[in-house]
Amino acid sequence: MVFSSPTFLFFFLPLALILYVISPWKNMVLLAASLMFYAWGEPVYIILMLTVITGNYLLGLALHGSDPARRRRWLVVAVAFNLGVLFYFKYIEFFLDSINAVLGWAGLGALPVPTPQLPLGISFFIFQSMTYVVDVYRGHARVERSLTNLALYISMFPQLVAGPIVRFREIAQRIHERSVSLRDVSVGSERFVIGLAKKVLIADPLANTVDAIFRIPGAELSPATAWFGAVCFGLQIYYDFSGYSDMGIGLGRMFGFRFPENFKHPYESTTLREFWRRWHMTLSRWFRDYLYIPLGGNKGTPGRTYLNLTIVFLLTGLWHGASWNFIVWGLLHGMFMMFERLGLETALRRTHVIVQHLYLLLVVQISWVFFRAQDLGHGITYLRAMFAGTVSPAGIYALDNYLTNYVLLAFAAGLLFSSGWAPRYCARRVFFSCRASQRAGRAAVMVPALAAFKAILFFSVLFLCLVNVSAESHKAFIYFRF
Amino acid sequence: MNTIPARVISVSRCVVPALLLMCVALPFLFMGRPDIFGADSGENRVPAPLPSIPQSLVDYLKIPKAFDSYVYDNFGMRNLLIEANARLKYGLLGVSFSRKVLVGRNGWLFHNNHRDMLDYSGLGDVSEQDLRRWRIVLEERGDWLKLKHIVFGVAVAPTKQSIYAEFMPAHLGPRSKGSALDRLSAHMAGKSDVVFLDLRSALRAAKTNHQVYFKTDSHWNFHGALAGYEHIARAFPEIFDPQHILDYPDLVAAQGSYRTNLPAMLGMKGTEKTTRFERRDGWLARSIKSDDGDGGLKRRTGITRISEIDDPSLKRGLFIVDSFYGWNSQFFAEHFQRLVAVNRFNYGWKLKDAFPAEIIAAEKPDIVLMQFVEGHLGNCSKPECLASPGIESNPPEVRQARLQRLFAESRQAPGHLQVVEVVRTREPMARVRGGPATEPAWRVVFAGMAAGQHRSGPYLLRIRVEADEELLIRSAFSRKSACLDRQEVTDIQVHAGISELLLCADGLDHNGKTELRVIGNAGAVRFLAAEAVAHPDL
């Protein structure tokens, strides 16, 4: 169940909110809702989720109650347990396929390859579980003695399937005791609606176009169409992911939690280093704190630092998916991070800020092609079409076919809001207007007027979102289906 | 400076939560009432029911999907929201939110079938093999019907974009190469004696006087249907008395409105004014209620319409049709004492494009006519296509009819070979396709092959066998089989008793040998005779 589906919006969310408000057992209601949310998408793997919860609960207790030598051993067990689950369900097929390719090349027989179905949100809940046990080991977090509370932390539905990746210590206190103010509900609702709009009004229309363009056979793909598809994908993934994070953060706030921010206008960056401080910030933070720094970070020799960076970005690529194109995507980012450290960043700083932005957008855009491509070969074919294509096809593969008013509108909105300029400008205007009206003694009029304006704005956006979500359920047939 | 009352701030903070709650709670509270504040969504399907309480683990696993379907189809105010979406996108932005509808110029809508659009854009990939497959399927039907003294014809109605290309988005055309219909028409004209009618010329001629397709429906209108009917009827003077072919003077036009299908696919209600025709002196044919009302007969057989006239001097007809027939059925019905229409193109009936030999045998018509829209051609992998790959469109007896004609045509030609020896062996000459290597086989040795007569191409074998039980005889064993490549018969079911069968064999070796395999009990069949011929169409 995704947040932008009719089932979530018109059934799950109102039911969860009503039960949460009326029930005295808030955590139990939220946990039940979270488990139901997960079971909806994974009716079988809910058992895996419960196993991960129980395993980490017991390992946390073991870590806490042991002497230092044993604690280290328990930590190894805990990390191995979590990574083992992740490896088996997400990577075993890719790993053994790659081994078999080598064995085949060497003329040896192939190993049997299990093909487990990828459980929903496994990368997120495993990473959250690991932060818990590692933080307990490091003494950064207190052990959780209530299974319900730990289960709620690992499975909490607002951030279960797409983040942000929350550390236990960030919400432990609020799991134990929290109150929800009107301001929380208000801010949470607004954030949810903004996230929904990002997903439904910008990402989804672009996604249809991206899907269609990335399906075009390489021989029919013109450079203009390929570039349009790639830029659309850059916008789609940003609005999809950040929209989902916004919805998660908003829902969390409505239930009294404050999740960390996950995106901060990443396309405004001028270097890749800055980009990763603004893109999927909770993942970058996770890799920094639980991998890069333990590996030595940038404290060692430059060679060691570059090796650490390569490892981190290789694993970042793999975290997004088990295939070679994700590895190439991660390594491309790692490579440019190294170039920046080797002097590219200094050189860029001497250029105009537009050149810096163009550099960042070009690198990110090219790497997105590998992220979106079906496989490595497709990614290379697509890039070839972008840079060396000569095709100018007519018919359904022509660029005109994709430039509908709706897509152009979503594209324009995507470009406009990908920078923080527009929201900042609006906020500044509102702030100065309020201050001016307060000075003029008209604050009591200004606030309701702004509230009315906000109501109209949010209602319009929400209405547009809901009609789009409803349209998803429309499945008309030319002839009657029996 | 004045201060803002706390109540004002509290109220202003309630606005967005209240809106959000209202927007999600109303569809929740009115669950099961999708039509509240909105009419029927025109989706042509039954909404998903509320799933029952799971009784088993399997049921439990199906619950989320079933409940999702229920919510998707039944949340409160659904139809209103869907229509609002359509009005906003189509009305305001001029775009279609449905991939199935293409917005054209001047308010024209087109059915956006990906395959049709590829074909229209000249990007379709119809191979020579596709053309041959279509021709063979039609020829088999024609030859089988000829044996029964039944006239056979095929008429292809153009898609709307073929006739009204000027209302299609400019970037989609014009065609850079021929469409599937162009190529099939040329192929049939050069290689087949099946009467194959391309109705485009008739529709283009009619277009100069009348609008022949609906603006917002995927079908032709009554003007277009009349033009199609006339063209077909004039092609079969032995069936349609030229004196009685209906034309405008025989008809009275009346204005009516018709609920068109493409706006419904967009989630809107759409009607279009159209001209309906009545026969000046009243229709002769009457529709016969052929079903028990629940669509059972239609589902089982594909029979969609039966009409009759109480005049035994008239002919009998059986038409294999698609939805375009709905508009010209009344015109055709005026010529037959009994006219049965079978629709097996539509996937909804799940019968694929199966030739209704059993209905033809029962109806004993004077003519079998296929009338279908161009969209059933094309680079097609779906079952609703003509001769969809991987689907046996014709039953074995129909498949044999064309081979019988080919055999008869070639029998007197040089290269006719008689069998001299049949060797039963358990060591096949080639690897077996779909069976164990020890599968029983016959080596059939033909005489009469002079030096230099060896031919690598396929041969047509006629074999006579006696079987005690049902089994299968196979003549092609490799993926590179020329017979399989050319869509010829290579597997044939043998029934108990003596049978004479025709099938394609890939070629004879230098010694005049070929191989046949028995799938089943090889001991239950005896080989009586065999002949081999070569034919240029194999």
Side-chain angles (χ1 to χ4, degrees), chain A residues 5-7 9-11 14-15 17 39-40 43-44 182-183 185-186 189-190 192-193 208 220 254 394-397 400-401 404-406 409 438-439 441-444 447-448 451 454-455 458-459 462-464 466-468 470-482, chain B residues 1-2 4 8 10 12-17 19-20 22-24 27-28 31 41 43-46 60-61 64 67-68 71-73 75 78 81-82 84-85 88-89 93 95 97 99-100 111 114 117-118 121 123 171-172 218-219 261 264-267 299 323 346-349:
Chain A
S5 67
T7 310
L9 289 170
F10 304 143
F11 178 75
L15 194 64
L17 285 173
W40 205 265
V44 174
L182 183 58
R183 186 175 154 72
V185 177
S186 175
S189 305
E190 287 172 19
F192 181 81
V193 174
N208 291 334
E220 303 287 349
M254 285 155 76
I396 62 165
Y397 298 138
D400 294 13
N401 203 34
T404 64
N405 291 340
Y406 185 43
L409 208 60
Q438 210 167 7
R439 279 186 191 141
R442 286 186 282 109
V447 170
K454 197 161 86 175
F458 271 86
F459 179 73
L462 195 53
F463 179 73
L464 288 175
L466 295 185
V467 296
N468 273 281
S470 305
E472 200 186 304
S473 72
H474 181 75
K475 292 185 180 73
F477 293 97
I478 277 230
Y479 308 109
F480 197 87
R481 289 266 155 154
F482 290 97
Chain B
M1 281 204 282
N2 64 345
I4 305 158
V8 172
S10 297
S12 72
R13 277 185 182 152
C14 287
V15 169
V16 177
L19 281 174
L20 177 63
M22 182 189 80
C23 286
V24 298
F28 174 68
M31 189 68 71
S41 63
E43 288 171 271
N44 268 340
R45 66 186 177 92
V46 178
Y60 159 75
L61 295 176
F67 197 81
D68 266 342
V71 174
Y72 273 56
D73 285 355
F75 61 83
R78 174 181 181 271
L81 289 168
I82 286 173
N85 175 65
L88 278 170
K89 286 191 186 142
L93 299 174
V95 296
F97 86 88
R99 285 182 196 168
K100 294 176 183 173
H111 185 207
H114 180 70
M117 290 305 157
L118 276 178
S121 303
L123 295 164
H171 63 271
L172 287 178
S218 55
H219 298 95
N261 60 9
M265 309 258 299
L266 287 175
R299 274 201 298 276
S323 56
N346 195 298
Y347 190 41
W349 282 278

Side-chain angles (χ1 to χ4, degrees), chain B residues 67-111:
Chain B
F67 197 81
D68 266 342
S69 301
Y70 171 75
V71 174
Y72 273 56
D73 285 355
N74 294 284
F75 61 83
M77 306 190 301
R78 174 181 181 271
N79 297 353
L80 177 77
L81 289 168
I82 286 173
E83 181 151 4
N85 175 65
R87 300 260 171 229
L88 278 170
K89 286 191 186 142
Y90 180 63
L92 214 62
L93 299 174
V95 296
S96 158
F97 86 88
S98 166
R99 285 182 196 168
K100 294 176 183 173
V101 181
L102 181 79
V103 177
R105 296 190 236 181
N106 298 354
W108 282 66
L109 297 177
F110 294 86
H111 185 207

Side-chain angles (χ1 to χ4, degrees), chain B residues 318-525:
Chain B
L318 187 137
F319 284 13
I320 300 165
V321 296
D322 61 10
S323 56
F324 273 58
Y325 182 66
W327 281 264
N328 60 11
S329 60
Q330 188 71 63
F331 307 134
F332 283 119
E334 294 295 279
H335 298 270
F336 295 96
Q337 60 161 297
R338 182 174 165 88
L339 178 60
V340 175
V342 179
N343 183 343
R344 289 188 169 183
F345 281 108
N346 195 298
Y347 190 41
W349 282 278
K350 313 229 181 279
L351 290 168
K352 285 94 181 174
D353 167 38
F355 187 60
E358 70 294 346
I359 304 175
I360 293 168
E363 288 292 331
K364 298 184 175 52
D366 297 292
I367 181 172
V368 169
L369 179 89
M370 291 178 70
Q371 177 191 276
F372 57 88
V373 72
E374 191 185 350
H376 291 300
L377 301 172
N379 187 20
C380 185
S381 56
K382 289 186 178 175
E384 64 259 38
C385 299
L386 173 69
S388 185
I391 291 172
E392 281 294 327
S393 298
N394 290 334
E397 56 174 308
V398 179
R399 298 223 67 189
Q400 288 285 294
R402 174 174 164 273
L403 296 183
Q404 282 172 27
R405 173 172 60 82
L406 297 188
F407 197 86
E409 284 171 7
S410 300
R411 200 161 184 198
Q412 305 309 320
H416 176 226
L417 305 172
Q418 290 288 341
V419 69
V420 291
E421 187 188 12
V422 178
V423 184
R424 269 195 60 197
T425 173
R426 294 185 71 84
E427 294 164 9
M429 287 149 67
R431 274 193 69 80
V432 181
R433 180 175 62 91
T438 54
E439 201 170 67
W442 288 324
R443 272 181 207 164
V444 187
V445 186
F446 289 89
M449 196 191 308
Q453 264 192 345
H454 170 72
R455 180 175 182 269
S456 59
Y459 277 84
L460 181 55
L461 301 187
R462 186 162 79 170
I463 58 171
R464 202 171 146 80
V465 293
E466 184 178 14
D468 300 331
E469 58 189 66
E470 261 197 20
L471 42 82
L472 192 80
I473 293 179
R474 174 172 292 165
S475 65
F477 316 108
S478 88
R479 284 173 194 276
K480 289 183 182 170
S481 160
C483 290
L484 287 174
D485 198 42
R486 293 170 199 209
Q487 325 288 330
E488 297 292 353
V489 177
T490 57
D491 280 4
I492 195 141
Q493 196 80 33
V494 177
H495 300 286
I498 294 176
S499 326
E500 202 166 78
L501 313 162
L502 286 147
L503 73 174
C504 177
D506 276 332
L508 307 181
D509 72 3
H510 292 283
N511 300 316
K513 276 190 221 157
T514 189
E515 190 179 75
L516 300 173
R517 301 247 169 94
V518 180
I519 316 294
N521 180 8
V525 62

